[in-house]
Amino acid sequence: MELNSARQKQPIRELETYEVGYENAGTVEFLVDKHGKHYFIEVNSRLQVEHTVTEEITDVDLVHAQLRVCEGRSLPELGLEQDKIQINGCAIQCRVTTEDPSRGFQPDTGRIEVFRSGEGMGIRLDSASAFQGAIISPHYDSLLVKVIASGKDLPTAATKMHRALTEFRVRGVKTNIPFLQNVLSNSQFLYATVDTQFIDGNQELFNLKPTQNRAQKLLHYLGHTMVNGPMTPIPVKAKSSPVDPVVPSVSLGEPPMGFREVLLREGPEVFARAIRQHQGLLLMDTTFRDAHQSLLATRVRTHDLKKIAPFVSHNFNNLFSLENWGGATFDVALRFRWECPWKRLQELRALIPNVPFQMLLRGANAVGYTNYPDNAVFKFCEVAKENGMDIFRVFDSLNYIPNMLLGMEAAGAAGGVVEAAISYTGDVSDPMRQKYSLEYYLKLANELVKAGTHILAIKDMAGLLKPEASRLLIGALRDRFPDVPIHVHTHDTAGAGVAAMLACAQAGADIVDVAVDSMAGMTSQPSMGAIVACTRGTKLDTGVSLDRVFDYSEYWEVARGLYAPFDCTATMKSGNADVYENEIPGGQYTNLHFQAHSMGLGNKFKEVKKAYAEANKLLGDLIKVTPSSKIVGDLAQFMVQNSLSRAEVEERADELSFPLSVVEFLQGHIGIPHGGFPEPFRSKVLKALPRIEGRPGASLPPMDFEALESDLRMAHGNEITPEDVMSAAMYPKVFQEFKEFTSNFGPVDCLNTRLFLDGPKIAEEFQVELERGKTLHIKALALGDLNKSGQREVFFELNGQLRSVLVKDTAAMKEMHFHPKALKDVRGQVGAPMPGKVVEVKVKPGQKVEKGQPLCVLSAMKMETVVNSPISGIISKVHVNADSSLEGNDLILEITE
């Protein structure tokens, strides 16, 4: 950046350097101190790139004058006499380069995908290699364009320059524009008190605001799906329906009040009393969570939930609650849908302000599959409540009371409604099954009620409750706890869900779980329409309009077609009463069915289910719900894959290599099962491995959230929110991968579901709303041929302008050879920090190196970079030689610690 003004510019003189025989225009450089004294630096026998500043404030074309001098013209002949030179105002020049300020101004290389300059009054552009499609090589200067702003004074020129740089759009390569904008906003610069220590003394100049670049990132995502197919794993090869669901009409105005009004006004205790005193059966709708978790592999996107949310708010205000969060939906959002789970909660809360939201909390495991420090569980519930969650259904996969109590305390401390859920297995109506007897459940319920639960729930995750068992269990609970609301959850795998829920209601249950008809049945919940119809006109009347249920169901019937690649009906055509024997939970039943087909065991699914029952017996007949159900499933698949019977597993337990989940369960990682661990099976498997006594998370040190937030800001910038911190606390690696994905592909949650999964067809036109008032108009134009780098150019029209992206064809690249990349999660792999040429390799295989020791030297754009060792160790392999040309992150060498 160069600055000139009447205050600083010295008189222009013809420079004659007789000593070297040079007679022409040249540039003399000085440093000026605060007293106005000049200190000579150097003379250049040419015009410097900064000459445009002088031209703007003197209105003298220096390049033209220089050429005329070369022709023999004198300065007076050109009208360049000192007393005629007038200096007007101030000018600033910014050189926009492909240098990354965040990495010490290292040159960046690549292809310019988008180039749009900022122009207007008082702005001059002297362009270099700046145009869409230009290839920025590491072997040439990094200058894109010189931007010159002029105005009556320095602040005016700086304002114009800042506005022009803000209007620039350069995509595909990093630039120094964010740094320049910080300089232009700096008060020291604006008051012209800059000295040679300016940058060192103003490190805030490197607090760079990242560009969003949302449109181009989305084009990259769409291009990837067009070239390589869906980026999210799909269990079956099926295309999304081309038909979008139609949202039923919604009346204008605010939605009618619901039970949430009572909760917000009176608090959890009064809310619970109001539920208990309510006349008629109340419903919890699971369509927004457990229904699609069971039928559609948890893949339903916020995009489709938001469309129907206003209809639910206006027409189902008398629901007890809407289950829309927690359980597997949290990590699946980050892993496979690339959505922020907190954003879903926030957006749905804004659209449905009147119906209580309910989530599934895995006790001491929060929404994870492992143990967390106690303060992490408390903090999670606190942040969930702040973001709109109301009711916390707290359970433990083994009904292990210490784990449940921690979750209950955390939910209660956050101000939420605590719904303690007893996971149900066995059959209380069968006198031959005594491990999980009626007395067992009553004793468990008594402890939970004493602990202060607001609502008592029965969580029948496999759909094992038969009508008679329902009457026995719920009737006994109602007699024992007449003032506590009772809530029952089940799955309809066997087809008896409606009958069982009606029996529960008749026995005294206040609330039962249902899903809208087109998302009900099989491994999901019983039908909402069936329950509404069967209770209409009775003392259990739900007060829900059957006509509105039909409208709601019609939306989901069409929306379900968008998720055809994940629909369980692709491989499973009906429910099955054999669930009473194998006791597989609803969601897991679907997953196991998919897995069996994907492994070519579709015709052996009966064997898988039989092995599941045998694995359950091996482990001591467990309560089966995430994560304990996964442990049983892992052991079952292990037995099928290795053709092992239960007797063989027991006999060879001391020599088999069991799945890690099984070993950790036997160590006590998720708690202690009812009746204890199976012996001698446990001792045979564990041998001398350590065992955990008591609550697994009790011994974990508190999580340092301040340190975690600081680390996240270092890695991802200052846009990190408290919700991001909680996501990283629950799933560190998954959150890191989520941030990397969104950094590359942008807000894919803005895309409709068919585009998200399959991408657009050629010549298809569509709109993408980034936010209110910002809509992209996109048309897919063409797919290019494969180039020598294994890429295809994908062409789009974006808001009327041609755009293109280069996409690696993953299938083609399998047949091509490329330099290997350094893997981020492998400490000893050293990658190139920037594209460039290897100048020198300083080590060789077998050599011992220390952390920080120079390994090699790279050169790019006249800049050399020394690559230092990140760790101490032995050089195991060198992948480059002197003169090797590298791309960013190409593997240089490997170090073994």
Side-chain angles (χ1 to χ4, degrees), residues 198-207:
F198 173 65
I199 293 179
D200 291 337
N202 291 274
Q203 287 300 300
E204 69 275 8
L205 298 176
F206 293 93
N207 295 334

Side-chain angles (χ1 to χ4, degrees), residues 711-741:
D711 292 344
L712 292 174
R713 290 186 184 279
M714 286 287 291
H716 306 295
N718 290 324
E719 303 301 315
I720 291 296
T721 65
E723 290 77 18
D724 290 332
V725 175
M726 282 314 311
S727 294
M730 295 292 106
Y731 291 96
K733 185 178 179 182
V734 174
F735 180 75
Q736 171 69 22
E737 292 169 349
F738 166 73
K739 294 297 287 185
E740 290 173 358
F741 180 92

Side-chain angles (χ1 to χ4, degrees), residues 669-716:
H669 278 253
I670 67 169
I672 302 172
H674 174 57
F677 292 99
E679 290 290 359
F681 181 70
R682 184 195 194 197
S683 296
K684 283 185 173 183
V685 173
L686 295 184
K687 305 178 187 68
L689 289 175
R691 307 176 187 206
I692 297 172
E693 302 298 334
R695 183 166 67 83
S699 59
L700 295 176
M703 185 172 288
D704 188 340
F705 286 105
E706 289 186 2
L708 176 58
E709 181 175 355
S710 177
D711 292 344
L712 292 174
R713 290 186 184 279
M714 286 287 291
H716 306 295

